[in-house]
Amino acid sequence: MALTFALTERDAEQIGSGSLQPFIEGYDEAFPDLSFLVDVALIDREQMQLLNKQQRDIDEPTDVLSFPTFPDFETLREHARQQPTLLGSIVICPEKAEEYQESLIQLVHHGLLHLLCYDHETDFAAWISEERRILEVLAKHSLHIPPVPYESI
């Protein structure tokens, strides 16, 4: 796999450029035959509240929202094996992350799982299984990310 992030330099610095390289290496190992592009944006509390209201009809800010390009993993895999494929966008509110005591790289990981068509609300067992598999690979690349506490989402 070749995982590529599209994000501003400011956002990369805020997420922690030191954690991005092992993160990319870990995801490359976890999905060796796929090539993905992911858009990541950090926004403020007010923008996140507006976006959450528009997208989910919840009138409060949240920590992370994901906007996948593909409806299921099989369709995604078919495209990503042939050419670099836009998985979708991850939008993160650093203020909410801080409030929930989450790291931004945790939320990038959480958002990526959603973009890969996993959903902790509809199939928690599949979510946990895939999250554990990926976290084990990331740990081999010296990146230890705790799962996002599910009570915060």
Side-chain angles (χ1 to χ4, degrees):
M1 173 184 159
L3 173 62
T4 304
F5 288 111
L7 66 165
T8 68
E9 188 175 317
R10 176 195 62 93
D11 288 356
E13 286 176 16
Q14 196 167 353
I15 289 171
S17 48
S19 59
L20 283 176
Q21 192 54 43
F23 187 86
I24 290 168
E25 291 168 2
Y27 265 85
D28 285 352
E29 183 178 328
F31 299 95
D33 59 335
L34 306 178
S35 184
F36 298 133
L37 173 65
V38 177
D39 179 49
V40 179
L42 304 182
I43 63 175
D44 67 29
R45 186 181 197 90
E46 292 75 26
Q47 292 171 309
M48 182 60 95
Q49 182 168 343
L50 179 62
L51 193 57
N52 204 21
K53 174 71 173 152
Q54 291 170 342
Q55 299 299 316
R56 299 172 60 220
D57 201 30
I58 298 174
D59 194 16
E60 59 187 52
T62 188
D63 52 356
V64 61
L65 290 173
S66 298
F67 301 95
T69 307
F70 291 89
D72 61 77
F73 187 74
E74 291 310 313
T75 305
L76 166 65
R77 182 191 327 240
E78 188 178 305
H79 286 273
R81 279 189 174 147
Q82 299 170 16
Q83 62 192 7
T85 300
L86 177 63
L87 277 182
S89 298
I90 301 169
V91 181
I92 298 171
C93 178
E95 295 163 276
K96 288 301 284 186
E98 187 175 315
E99 181 180 317
Y100 291 144
Q101 298 179 334
E102 300 162 334
S103 71
L104 298 182
I105 200 73
Q106 270 180 292
L107 295 176
V108 171
H109 168 67
H110 184 91
L112 259 170
L113 280 166
H114 279 295
L115 295 183
L116 291 166
C117 305
Y118 290 93
D119 189 344
H120 50 83
E121 293 179 7
T122 60
D123 193 348
F124 191 70
W127 173 281
I128 291 296
S129 175
E130 185 65 359
E131 182 174 49
R132 283 186 182 143
R133 181 184 80 81
I134 294 170
L135 290 175
E136 286 175 10
V137 175
L138 292 173
K140 290 193 298 187
H141 291 270
S142 300
L143 186 60
H144 301 278
I145 303 173
V148 169
Y150 296 99
E151 61 275 4
S152 74
I153 47 180

